Amino acid sequence: MSAKGPDLSKTRTFGIAAHIDAGKTTVSERILYYTGIEHRMGEVHEGNTAMDWMEEEQQRGITITAAATNCPWQGHRLQLVDTPGHVDFTAEVERSLRVLDGAIIVFDCLNGVEAQSETVWRQANKYHVPRMAFLNKLDKPGAEPAKCIDDIRRRLNANAVAIQLAIGREKEFEGVVDLVEMTEIRFPENELGSRPAVTALSDEWSESARAARVELIEKVGEVDEVIFEKYVHGTEIDAPTLRAAIRRATIKNAFVPVMMGAAFRNKGVQPLLDAIVHYLPSPIDLPPVKGFEPQTEKEVLRKPDPSDAFAALVFKIFGDAHGDLTYIRIYSGTLKSADLLYNARTGKPERANRIFRMHANDKQQIDSACAGDIVAIPGLKETVTGDTLFERGKPVALERSQFPEPVISMALEPKSSTDRDKLLESLKRLEREDPTFRARTDAESGQVIIAGMGELHLEVLSHRLEREYRVPTNAGKPFVSYRETIQKEAKAAHVFERELGGRKLYASATVIVRPGQDTKPRVIINNNILTSPIGLLRAACRGIQQSVEDGAQSGANFGFPMVNIEIEVAEIVWTAESTEVAAQAAASEAFAAAVSAGGGELLEPILRFEIRTPGEFLSGVLNDLQGRRGVVEDLTIEENVKVVRGTIPAGETFGYTTALRSLSQGRATAALEPSRYAAVPDKIRREVTGS
């Protein structure tokens, strides 16, 4: 799987992310048009964009699934991933940012930093993704770039600095001043902005541009020694020197270049493309990816080199009625059609019979792909999001993404009883595709219960069942996905004894449970178990761990999945003639007893909200929040808009968007995202548990 590949210094792999309605997909569509990939400009409001290709996306005018494409610009290859802006689909952003080398964060210049802007910024911080900011919609009344930049600095703690000045405001916005080259760039509307007019700096803009350039140089000098030395010694700093310094500072996440434009009016996108080439990293500008050997957990480094051992991370699976496509980011080595790959999680082989380069949902079959590439492989059977694929004899496991737990559930049933098996199979495929979606059958009622990140998330998935999988369904009312935890540390032991076929099965287990911090149960197998006189095989330990995890998923007190708990399997004793099953049963029962002794606590998901409302509706909005157990943490004024931030229980938000429209004559907006779990009030606990 090794080969000499293309010049990776000419590759830019980046994503575009934003709060919903900031114009992210419009920016992506302009990029496709100006790079020649598309011969017409798709519009979100017309439902004909290339990147929002799903029928559900086109009807709703929002991005639901991350879409990848390739396009050329100035001798470089750009790999672009357009991500959703709605918080219900934040997992798409999370798993995309995990594999991207850079990001463009789009801001609505009038609204500045919005709720989902903060979320995607945190996600980019988590994976150390270098990024640029694009201030969009400068043609809107009230748009003020300086204020938006201050907002980015203040709320996102970012060293954001403009590398452009806007020429004109609102309806008069016509272009930008390039502070690196010190030129003016205008975009004639009669040519769809296809041929920007670049001219020397005029007297009108000379003074303000020079002052802004000095500020830019000072800010870059604070994080780059080359510019600092030249600045303090009064040495002239030319465009190539300044550009190289901005690139270095951006790649090390010490600087955020700020661009500006109005994508819908075809202004500012070509300079953004130039900036992507100039300032975002190539695969070779970043350090080797770190992983570990699955068996020994020894650290492994893989270089972004086509001739190195193959390693790729599965970051997305998209399924439809015709089969699954597995999207991978290749970090090292080269993949050829029909190559055999190994899964670090399962240890099993999978064959890459075909390799596709994607343009949204269009597939171009290619013979090979190498380090730096994002491609899709059909037909992988047991591979899921987060898995690492490697070549035989060169094992490596890369860091997996962590996704939030579902907060909303609802019952679902097929309209025809004959479709039940088909429904269950389709839900399995959707569950494999979406790491924030869960489907289960209730043991008592036999109902199918689905869970996700919000009402829109579940609504979209139920529509997809009908459109893509041909399974019409009836959906019940949404309800809260409760969780449970323990109140204190506890310890319990259990002895399993049974005679089976003349064979005496014996095992005893001791389990300790403690309050923890992780949203998923953390299971620890005491190392002494492996060195005990009998000694357990590592395979047996994995089975014991799985049995405890299954118990935590089922819940021991209230029947809800457990969170914020650490579980230690402290001791396992079994006889030479016993089996793994006996050890698993003993551990499972000991765990249940320990949880019972630890005292159960019922938890509800808490959402963080940001509401923007005209001032005249503020009192009604606040009163409504109080009635919904909402807690207001911050109230600010931005122009004539009041911004309310705080937290609210998920169960109080059903139908909230409709209620807010009614309260504000349709003029207020709300953004909600999962925050944490908290203990429910006694009244709700009694209603849910019946005790």
Side-chain angles (χ1 to χ4, degrees):
M1 293 190 189
S2 62
K4 180 176 175 58
D7 182 0
L8 294 186
S9 69
K10 301 290 187 182
T11 296
R12 301 289 183 272
T13 301
F14 67 99
I16 299 185
H19 185 87
I20 192 169
D21 291 334
K24 167 186 53 57
T25 297
T26 301
V27 172
S28 298
E29 290 297 313
R30 276 22 178 202
I31 287 176
L32 298 184
Y33 179 79
Y34 294 133
T35 58
I37 294 300
E38 292 287 332
H39 300 294
R40 62 167 179 80
M41 291 182 180
E43 304 293 358
V44 173
H45 64 278
E46 294 179 2
N48 61 358
T49 60
M51 300 302 275
D52 286 350
W53 58 270
M54 292 174 62
E55 185 177 352
E56 198 75 23
E57 293 176 312
Q58 293 172 350
Q59 288 190 358
R60 295 175 182 271
I62 61 172
T63 302
I64 292 171
T65 184
T69 191
N70 285 258
C71 48
W73 186 256
Q74 307 293 11
H76 289 67
R77 181 168 70 97
L78 309 184
Q79 292 188 114
L80 162 65
V81 178
D82 181 35
T83 66
H86 195 287
V87 68
D88 280 19
F89 309 104
T90 190
E92 289 287 310
V93 186
E94 177 88 16
R95 59 184 177 184
S96 297
L97 285 170
R98 169 65 181 85
V99 299
L100 296 174
D101 296 336
I104 309 295
I105 312 298
V106 179
F107 297 88
D108 180 329
C109 194
L110 180 62
N111 294 327
V113 176
E114 299 176 88
Q116 188 67 359
S117 311
E118 291 188 270
T119 300
V120 299
W121 200 272
R122 286 198 307 269
Q123 290 170 317
N125 284 340
K126 178 179 177 180
Y127 297 114
H128 310 290
V129 179
R131 73 215 73 155
M132 302 193 301
F134 182 73
L135 310 188
N136 194 26
K137 303 187 180 183
L138 260 70
D139 56 328
K140 288 179 64 174
E144 181 50 61
K147 182 182 175 185
C148 189
I149 293 172
D150 286 341
D151 205 22
I152 294 172
R153 291 172 177 171
R154 176 174 53 86
R155 291 184 58 186
L156 303 179
N157 194 30
N159 187 21
V161 183
I163 62 174
Q164 296 175 335
L165 291 180
I167 299 176
R169 289 289 189 277
E170 301 177 0
K171 289 184 178 179
E172 304 303 318
F173 174 67
E174 56 179 303
V176 295
V177 173
D178 184 333
L179 297 177
V180 177
E181 294 286 350
M182 294 297 276
T183 57
E184 297 177 19
I185 308 173
R186 288 175 170 79
F187 305 88
E189 294 198 24
N190 60 346
E191 296 179 355
L192 297 178
S194 295
R195 299 181 185 179
V198 181
T199 59
L201 203 62
S202 65
D203 292 341
E204 178 186 0
W205 289 98
S206 177
E207 184 176 348
S208 56
R210 293 185 191 284
R213 194 175 198 269
V214 169
E215 181 187 357
L216 171 61
I217 289 172
E218 289 175 347
K219 289 291 187 180
V220 176
E222 292 174 2
V223 294
D224 186 86
E225 292 183 4
V226 174
I227 295 298
F228 177 77
E229 289 293 327
K230 289 183 177 293
Y231 180 68
V232 297
H233 290 99
T235 306
E236 181 69 23
I237 299 173
D238 59 18
T241 302
L242 181 55
R243 186 181 300 116
I246 293 173
R247 177 178 178 79
R248 288 192 296 270
T250 302
I251 290 174
K252 67 180 183 180
N253 269 310
F255 189 84
V256 179
V258 179
M259 315 283 291
M260 49 195 71
F264 184 67
R265 289 181 59 194
N266 312 314
K267 300 180 188 299
V269 177
Q270 295 94 327
L272 177 63
L273 282 163
D274 291 338
I276 289 167
V277 168
H278 291 322
Y279 305 127
L280 290 185
S282 72
I284 61 175
D285 291 318
L286 299 174
V289 65
K290 290 182 180 179
F292 61 91
E293 289 186 358
Q295 297 299 323
T296 66
E297 298 191 1
K298 178 182 177 183
E299 184 177 89
V300 176
L301 297 180
R302 289 290 165 84
K303 298 177 182 178
D305 185 343
S307 63
D308 200 357
F310 180 82
L313 185 71
V314 175
F315 72 95
K316 173 183 170 69
I317 292 175
F318 187 81
D320 58 24
H322 305 293
D324 291 341
L325 272 180
T326 301
Y327 286 72
I328 65 171
R329 161 67 194 263
I330 303 177
Y331 283 96
S332 63
T334 298
L335 175 67
K336 296 180 180 179
S337 294
D339 274 350
L340 195 64
L341 305 175
Y342 287 81
N343 186 313
R345 177 180 57 87
T346 66
K348 296 179 180 180
E350 299 256 32
R351 191 170 296 280
N353 288 315
R354 290 180 292 169
I355 307 169
F356 293 131
R357 181 164 286 144
M358 303 299 297
H359 173 55
N361 66 324
D362 291 334
K363 299 185 284 287
Q364 175 195 354
Q365 187 165 341
I366 56 178
D367 294 328
S368 64
C370 69
D373 280 339
I374 287 178
V375 294
I377 305 171
L380 302 188
K381 301 298 183 185
E382 297 187 48
T383 298
V384 298
T385 297
D387 285 352
T388 301
L389 301 174
F390 60 86
E391 66 178 274
R392 185 174 185 177
K394 303 290 179 64
V396 63
L398 304 177
E399 179 190 3
R400 304 176 72 91
S401 296
Q402 299 298 318
F403 300 102
E405 287 294 302
V407 296
I408 301 296
S409 300
M410 71 180 185
L412 200 67
E413 62 179 22
K415 290 185 177 180
S416 171
S417 59
T418 59
D419 283 340
R420 183 176 176 82
D421 289 343
K422 189 177 179 182
L423 171 64
L424 295 176
E425 180 60 33
S426 299
L427 289 173
K428 282 182 182 178
R429 297 183 66 175
L430 288 175
E431 196 173 19
R432 183 168 178 262
E433 172 188 325
D434 186 344
T436 61
F437 174 66
R438 303 283 189 276
R440 64 181 177 86
T441 301
D442 186 84
E444 294 182 4
S445 66
Q447 280 187 311
V448 175
I449 307 296
I450 62 173
M453 301 309 298
E455 291 180 85
L456 179 61
H457 186 200
L458 297 184
E459 183 182 325
V460 166
L461 288 173
S462 61
H463 287 179
R464 285 188 60 196
L465 283 169
E466 183 165 353
R467 286 177 173 157
E468 298 173 24
Y469 294 92
R470 301 291 187 265
V471 186
T473 59
N474 293 317
K477 291 183 178 180
F479 56 91
V480 177
S481 291
Y482 291 103
R483 294 292 184 267
E484 63 177 87
T485 190
I486 55 171
Q487 297 175 336
K488 62 184 179 181
E489 180 174 327
K491 181 178 181 180
H494 183 80
V495 175
F496 177 89
E497 288 184 287
R498 186 169 299 173
E499 190 167 319
L500 184 64
R503 185 178 185 180
K504 186 177 182 180
L505 303 183
Y506 173 90
S508 69
T510 302
V511 173
I512 304 170
V513 295
R514 306 179 183 92
Q517 299 298 320
D518 296 336
T519 54
K520 292 186 177 180
R522 181 167 179 250
V523 180
I524 302 168
I525 303 292
N526 193 309
N527 284 332
N528 292 333
I529 294 175
L530 299 174
T531 56
S532 62
I534 297 296
L536 292 175
L537 299 174
R538 287 190 178 273
C541 283
R542 285 196 292 270
I544 292 167
Q545 179 173 337
Q546 186 63 53
S547 69
V548 173
E549 288 177 350
D550 290 345
Q553 184 64 28
S554 301
N557 286 314
F558 307 118
F560 296 105
M562 302 197 72
V563 296
N564 304 340
I565 183 172
E566 183 180 286
I567 307 158
E568 179 185 352
V569 181
E571 184 181 51
I572 295 283
V573 177
W574 67 348
T575 61
E577 64 176 335
S578 195
T579 66
E580 293 178 24
V581 174
Q584 292 173 17
S588 181
E589 292 295 336
F591 164 71
V595 168
S596 181
E601 188 161 57
L602 186 66
L603 306 177
E604 64 181 344
I606 303 296
L607 308 183
R608 184 163 294 280
F609 66 76
E610 179 179 286
I611 299 167
R612 291 172 179 260
T613 178
E616 60 263 38
F617 306 113
L618 179 62
S619 61
V621 169
L622 293 177
N623 288 336
D624 183 67
L625 284 171
Q626 186 177 15
R628 294 173 181 266
R629 296 192 286 137
V631 176
V632 175
E633 298 175 346
D634 184 43
L635 175 60
T636 58
I637 302 173
E638 297 181 4
E639 299 295 336
N640 62 338
V641 175
K642 303 294 191 294
V643 182
V644 188
R645 300 184 181 92
T647 59
I648 188 170
E652 304 288 349
T653 64
F654 297 138
Y656 183 65
T657 302
T658 301
L660 186 62
R661 288 197 198 105
S662 178
L663 285 168
S664 64
Q665 298 176 13
R667 295 168 62 191
T669 61
L672 301 163
E673 67 168 325
S675 173
R676 66 184 191 279
Y677 286 93
V680 301
D682 289 340
K683 178 183 177 183
I684 294 179
R685 173 173 168 162
R686 288 192 295 269
E687 291 175 356
V688 173
T689 64
S691 61

